[in-house]
Amino acid sequence: MKENATKNNLMEKIVSLCKRRGFVFAGSEIYGGLAGTYDWGHFGLALKNNIKQSWWKKFVDNRRDMYGIDTAILMNSKVWEAAGHVTNFADSLDGKKFNTMLKTQVGAKKEEVAVSYLRPETAQGMFVNFKNTVDAFHPKLPFGMAQIGKAFRNEIAPRDFLFRQREFEQMEIEYFTREEDWEKYFEYWKGEMLEWMEEIGIDMGKIHELEVSDEDRAHYSKRTVDFEFDYPFGRKELFGLAYRTDFDLKNHKLDYIDEESAEKIIPHVIEPTFGVDRAMLVLLLSAYCEDEKGGEIRAHLKFKPSIAPVICAVSPLLKNKPELVEYANTKVFAPLKAEFGRVIWDDNGNIGKRYRRQDEIGTPFCIVIDFDTLTDNTVTVRDRDTGEQERIKVENLKSYIKEKI
Ligand code: GAP
């Protein structure tokens, strides 16, 4: 039994599985690709949406002090000048500074054309809406703003599949607090981040905290802790937590007035930041397992049911038997689909092939409707992780799955 395969070619296996099973494709592939870009297939998108929903539920919906926002990707270039990115958001290329913001232009008429940038972080969209948020919702300190959205960086060397891309997605929180409370909330958010990582099924044994040194910290940060992961290509950053001080609000000339005391202050910011694509890569790496079944190596993705792209697959044993297809469709598939949404129909190839396909998609349960079903109203439910099969009454299927997830 080889659980959690750690072979050197693990990345190749993941990349190939992602393409074969419709998770992730190379961007612009039929034209030779565009480095650092990827396209998302049905199951990859489902997994990505589940990651984002779980994040939003924990950090926005389940809290009273968080305000969601969705801001424009194109922003006035003055935002990036004030935020220090025009000067500082750079990498080094042959010893020279190279700004990694992707530049574009806005406006059609010559006299109207203005330089703009595709945002390299979602954070600034929140900072520039700080006053709008305070005026609209009258929040008391401490409170936060949260955003999920695309970010773009002209990375010098995009590499390692989803790890370093030029177009990717971030989930960010800017948490505004009084200066004297920053250390307390820094520790608090560290705990919240770790809790969510565990909740979605990241292999916590491979997570390490790194106190980022003065010379390696971003220009806006006074303290940063990176959560690193042991990828097959080395220990590298997964998510980050930064103390951005009052750097951004001060530079945008924004402040906060306490409604009770009329005191004017510039709040300080704790920023928990998460890359969606790295979360996805790390979940794939954490979930990938191989074991031996009947002399063959079986690959499967052990996703938690709450995050898996598909909760169950419904299969009539034979697709050319109308009585099985009819039963499977009306009595099993339709009610489960209505209840769980993430349910798929799979009648392609023999049962062994269907199981192997669903194992690679990470589907926790495969339900098969056979001739016995027609007489005793029971179906076979096969467990992805153990390969074991149980006969379950059709009327109990919903509660059986609910209990398991
Ligand atoms: N607002 C703070 C900020 O943007 P960052 O550490 O530069 O901080 C945040 O980026 C997160 O975005 C990272 O922890 C990582 O998960 C993700 N990320 C950054 N660059 C990336 C890239 N080129 N490709 C994929 N994800 C990336």
Side-chain angles (χ1 to χ4, degrees):
M1 185 91 146
K2 283 181 217 129
E3 285 280 304
N4 281 322
T6 51
K7 292 181 191 157
N8 291 339
N9 57 359
L10 181 56
M11 280 302 288
E12 282 153 45
K13 288 181 180 182
I14 298 268
V15 173
S16 135
L17 184 153
C18 280
K19 180 170 176 174
R20 189 168 64 247
R21 297 302 178 204
F23 282 74
V24 183
F25 311 113
S28 315
E29 195 178 10
I30 62 167
Y31 287 102
L34 177 67
T37 66
Y38 286 92
D39 297 335
W40 297 77
H42 185 78
F43 293 131
L45 188 55
L47 181 58
K48 189 154 92 145
N49 285 340
N50 292 343
I51 293 170
K52 292 195 274 185
Q53 276 165 19
S54 146
W55 187 90
W56 195 262
K57 187 160 187 272
K58 179 171 176 65
F59 296 124
V60 182
D61 288 347
N62 287 356
R63 301 179 64 101
R64 292 163 173 229
D65 59 350
M66 198 62 75
Y67 298 86
I69 195 159
D70 186 9
T71 68
I73 286 171
L74 293 174
M75 301 177 85
N76 190 316
S77 60
K78 287 181 187 155
V79 171
W80 304 108
E81 283 159 25
H85 285 65
V86 173
T87 326
N88 296 309
F89 203 73
D91 217 335
S92 152
L93 184 61
D94 298 343
K96 273 194 175 164
K97 263 195 162 186
F98 168 77
N99 194 296
T100 53
M101 282 199 293
L102 273 159
K103 213 182 216 176
T104 186
Q105 57 181 47
V106 191
K109 290 189 198 149
K110 232 181 181 179
E111 59 278 16
E112 282 175 5
V113 169
V115 165
S116 185
Y117 299 93
L118 302 185
R119 65 181 180 202
E121 58 168 5
T122 67
Q124 294 305 325
M126 293 188 265
F127 294 128
V128 300
N129 279 286
F130 177 77
K131 185 174 180 328
N132 287 334
T133 301
V134 170
D135 290 349
F137 309 111
H138 303 277
K140 271 195 166 22
L141 287 175
F143 73 91
M145 293 173 72
Q147 163 151 247
I148 300 180
K150 289 260 181 173
F152 303 81
R153 294 181 192 178
N154 198 5
E155 297 282 2
I156 292 171
R159 65 164 78 107
D160 296 321
F161 193 34
L162 306 175
F163 179 80
R164 193 176 303 287
Q165 299 173 69
R166 290 188 167 132
E167 174 176 341
F168 56 98
E169 225 171 336
Q170 293 183 321
M171 306 182 283
E172 297 198 291
I173 291 167
E174 308 305 327
Y175 199 72
F176 304 97
T177 172
R178 287 174 180 272
E179 181 177 5
E180 59 269 29
D181 292 334
W182 82 264
E183 275 158 312
K184 179 172 94 186
Y185 287 110
F186 195 93
E187 286 312 307
Y188 165 78
W189 279 106
K190 208 200 281 180
E192 289 292 291
M193 291 180 83
L194 286 164
E195 202 176 277
W196 182 73
M197 289 182 224
E198 191 159 13
E199 241 170 69
I200 60 167
I202 289 177
D203 181 349
M204 297 306 283
K206 294 196 169 134
I207 293 285
H208 308 274
E209 286 176 31
L210 173 81
E211 189 69 48
V212 181
S213 64
D214 290 356
E215 55 276 16
D216 287 339
R217 272 200 311 269
H219 61 279
Y220 49 72
S221 174
K222 228 176 182 175
R223 185 182 173 199
T224 298
V225 167
D226 277 352
F227 294 97
E228 296 191 310
F229 184 82
D230 293 323
Y231 299 88
F233 45 86
R235 184 176 292 182
K236 296 204 156 83
E237 181 187 341
L238 168 59
F239 305 139
L241 176 64
Y243 169 42
R244 288 182 83 127
T245 68
D246 57 358
F247 178 88
D248 300 275
L249 291 185
K250 210 184 218 167
N251 285 352
H252 293 309
K253 303 189 169 41
L254 294 165
D255 54 33
Y256 173 90
I257 295 174
D258 186 298
E259 285 186 1
E260 274 163 27
S261 64
E263 182 194 4
K264 188 173 170 176
I265 54 172
I266 303 177
H268 280 231
V269 172
I270 305 296
E271 180 192 63
T273 178
F274 307 71
V276 179
D277 313 70
R278 285 193 195 172
M280 161 103 175
L281 175 58
V282 159
L283 276 183
L284 286 163
L285 290 165
S286 301
Y288 188 87
C289 293
E290 287 179 354
D291 59 15
E292 222 174 288
K293 282 256 180 301
E296 269 184 51
I297 298 289
R298 175 182 82 115
H300 58 292
L301 290 170
K302 259 188 181 176
F303 293 129
K304 286 194 171 184
S306 56
I307 218 86
V310 179
I311 292 177
C312 63
V314 175
S315 268
L317 181 66
L318 301 169
K319 68 173 169 191
N320 57 358
K321 294 288 171 198
E323 62 276 35
L324 292 183
V325 173
E326 169 69 10
Y327 191 108
N329 197 13
T330 56
K331 300 223 164 98
V332 181
F333 180 72
L336 290 181
K337 184 92 182 146
E339 179 76 26
F340 299 109
R342 286 181 280 138
V343 175
I344 56 166
W345 178 267
D346 190 355
D347 61 9
N348 200 2
N350 64 34
I351 287 292
K353 280 204 175 119
R354 294 180 207 172
Y355 284 160
R356 258 194 302 283
R357 176 166 47 243
Q358 295 306 327
D359 283 344
E360 288 197 347
I361 294 166
T363 308
F365 311 106
C366 285
I367 301 170
V368 176
I369 291 84
D370 57 23
F371 290 104
D372 287 343
T373 313
L374 303 179
T375 53
D376 66 6
N377 290 306
T378 64
V379 289
T380 300
V381 180
R382 176 200 176 257
D383 183 286
R384 171 198 65 199
D385 302 337
T386 61
E388 276 167 21
Q389 303 183 7
E390 268 186 86
R391 282 309 278 192
I392 303 285
K393 274 197 168 310
V394 170
E395 66 192 58
N396 295 337
L397 267 177
K398 275 189 196 170
S399 54
Y400 174 87
I401 292 172
K402 267 189 191 159
E403 198 179 299
K404 294 262 182 181
I405 64 176

